[in-house]
Amino acid sequence: MKQQTFIIITPCYNEQKYIEFSLKSVVNQTIKPSKWIIVNDGSTDKTAEIINNYTDKYDFIEYYFRHKSTGQTYFSSNVYAIMEGWEQVKELDFDYLGILDSDITLPKKYYEKIIAEFENDMNLGVASGIYENLIDGKLVPVINDRRSTPKAIQIFRKEVFEQIGGYLPLKYGGEDTAACVMARMHGWKVWSFPNIKVIHHRPTGSGNSKNIIKAKYMLGLNEYFIGSHWLFVLMKCLKRAFKEKPFIIGGVARFCGFLYGHFINEKRQVPIEMVRFFRREQLRRIFLFNRI
């Protein structure tokens, strides 16, 4: 039987505080990638120095520096970095593409377990584990949707990534959700496995934001720009207002971000057919009480 191969792409920007968590995690995996492309998205700190300490020791790690373009948001620049990494590997022969953020600690069998899930389900197109946020030294569970996979630890069949055209460089984020929706539009299953947990060293969705309230607001804004139905967003915000810190205000901030998207009159970057498909999915979930 052919041994399944995978490649990882990691974008990073000023990650000197966190990147060694990801570096140590990958080199300690039970199965190693055939190649790991790390794209430095214009870092001005010691990120490059830390990465190069590992490229000197491990042949499968390759480092690239990308000069940031002015006018790109943090979210879109991150996607451009990933897609630049993709250009380096897309012609190679491999089976799976992993996207890995530079602030993640993976369990040693992360890729072994996820690839086993792919091999057991040939309809599975995109998969991941789930993560817990490390906040003030404590692991805080993140509300997980089995039908979605976070970009920080996302794995694609190579053919799926090719089929959907990779990630869209969305100004306000949400490119991982858009990728999941487009994969489902092509008939693929998208699934996360809650028994496979990773540690996320920064609060979910914070990106370059230093304020958790602003981070929640931005999550709401990207809900609008990926085309979420207002009723689904309202129910989601109500649920998370009582289950995620900061309680109440986090849910309010998220819905305010969504409402603001309606007022700034800026065109969405996602295809209209994706928006229609996505909203039908969301309404079906509401009427089925979110049953899987």
Side-chain angles (χ1 to χ4, degrees):
M1 181 182 292
K2 175 180 177 288
Q3 183 176 358
Q4 302 302 301
T5 56
F6 69 104
I7 282 173
I8 304 172
I9 299 174
T10 292
C12 57
Y13 174 69
N14 286 352
E15 295 285 5
Q16 66 177 21
K17 184 177 178 181
Y18 301 106
I19 195 166
E20 202 150 18
F21 292 115
S22 295
L23 287 161
K24 288 179 178 178
S25 290
V26 173
V27 301
N28 288 320
Q29 287 295 296
T30 51
I31 58 171
K32 307 289 192 296
S34 53
K35 194 178 291 291
W36 183 14
I37 304 293
I38 304 178
V39 183
N40 184 349
D41 195 22
S43 296
T44 55
D45 63 0
K46 294 182 180 180
T47 296
E49 181 181 329
I50 297 168
I51 297 168
N52 286 326
N53 288 337
Y54 282 77
T55 57
D56 291 343
K57 299 175 185 177
Y58 301 95
D59 293 339
F60 66 88
I61 304 176
E62 295 185 11
Y63 168 80
Y64 291 87
F65 184 87
R66 174 182 182 268
H67 291 279
K68 269 181 174 291
S69 298
T70 56
Q72 292 177 355
T73 65
Y74 169 85
F75 303 101
S76 61
S77 187
N78 183 270
V79 169
Y80 282 120
I82 292 171
M83 296 308 292
E84 189 162 315
W86 169 248
E87 288 298 317
Q88 306 299 321
V89 302
K90 66 180 183 180
E91 302 300 331
L92 301 180
D93 182 24
F94 61 97
D95 302 291
Y96 302 103
L97 174 69
I99 308 300
L100 178 66
D101 271 6
S102 47
D103 58 354
I104 298 289
T105 294
L106 300 169
K108 287 187 176 182
K109 293 186 176 182
Y110 184 76
Y111 290 106
E112 178 184 340
K113 288 182 176 180
I114 297 292
I115 288 174
E117 296 292 350
F118 277 111
E119 293 300 293
N120 288 332
D121 185 352
M122 299 310 294
N123 191 47
L124 183 61
V126 190
S128 75
I130 65 169
Y131 49 59
E132 297 177 309
N133 288 328
L134 185 64
I135 302 175
D136 297 328
K138 296 180 180 179
L139 288 174
V140 180
V142 176
I143 295 176
N144 178 59
D145 178 4
R146 295 295 302 275
R147 308 165 186 83
S148 186
T149 58
K151 187 186 71 176
I153 50 175
Q154 215 164 25
I155 304 175
F156 296 82
R157 288 189 191 273
K158 183 187 179 188
E159 63 188 289
V160 174
F161 198 78
E162 292 172 328
Q163 197 171 36
I164 67 174
Y167 289 121
L168 294 172
L170 304 179
K171 181 177 179 180
Y172 300 104
E175 60 279 348
D176 49 354
T177 301
C180 290
V181 175
M182 289 191 288
R184 290 195 296 269
M185 286 176 67
H186 284 89
W188 293 99
K189 179 180 176 181
V190 176
W191 209 245
S192 60
F193 296 90
N195 59 311
I196 307 174
K197 296 180 181 179
V198 312
I199 299 172
H200 194 210
H201 292 270
R202 255 193 311 232
T204 305
S206 59
N208 65 337
S209 175
K210 305 298 183 184
N211 185 302
I212 190 64
I213 302 300
K214 182 180 178 182
K216 298 293 185 183
Y217 177 88
M218 291 303 298
L219 287 170
L221 190 61
N222 82 49
E223 288 272 14
Y224 170 78
F225 279 101
I226 61 173
S228 289
H229 194 283
W230 71 268
L231 182 57
F232 184 86
V233 176
L234 176 61
M235 295 182 72
K236 183 176 185 177
C237 290
L238 287 171
K239 177 181 178 180
R240 294 183 180 232
F242 295 97
K243 290 194 172 184
E244 281 185 346
K245 292 183 178 180
F247 298 123
I248 309 299
I249 193 171
V252 172
R254 192 168 189 147
F255 196 67
C256 285
F258 177 75
L259 291 177
Y260 182 69
H262 286 271
F263 289 107
I264 61 178
N265 196 30
E266 189 174 329
K267 185 178 179 181
R268 289 188 176 98
Q269 296 172 274
V270 295
I272 186 62
E273 59 269 22
M274 192 210 92
V275 173
R276 290 169 180 157
F277 180 90
F278 193 29
R279 288 179 178 176
R280 285 196 300 270
E281 280 190 328
Q282 291 177 329
L283 289 174
R284 188 161 56 245
R285 288 175 61 180
I286 292 172
F287 297 138
L288 294 175
F289 301 99
N290 209 31
R291 289 199 303 272
I292 293 175

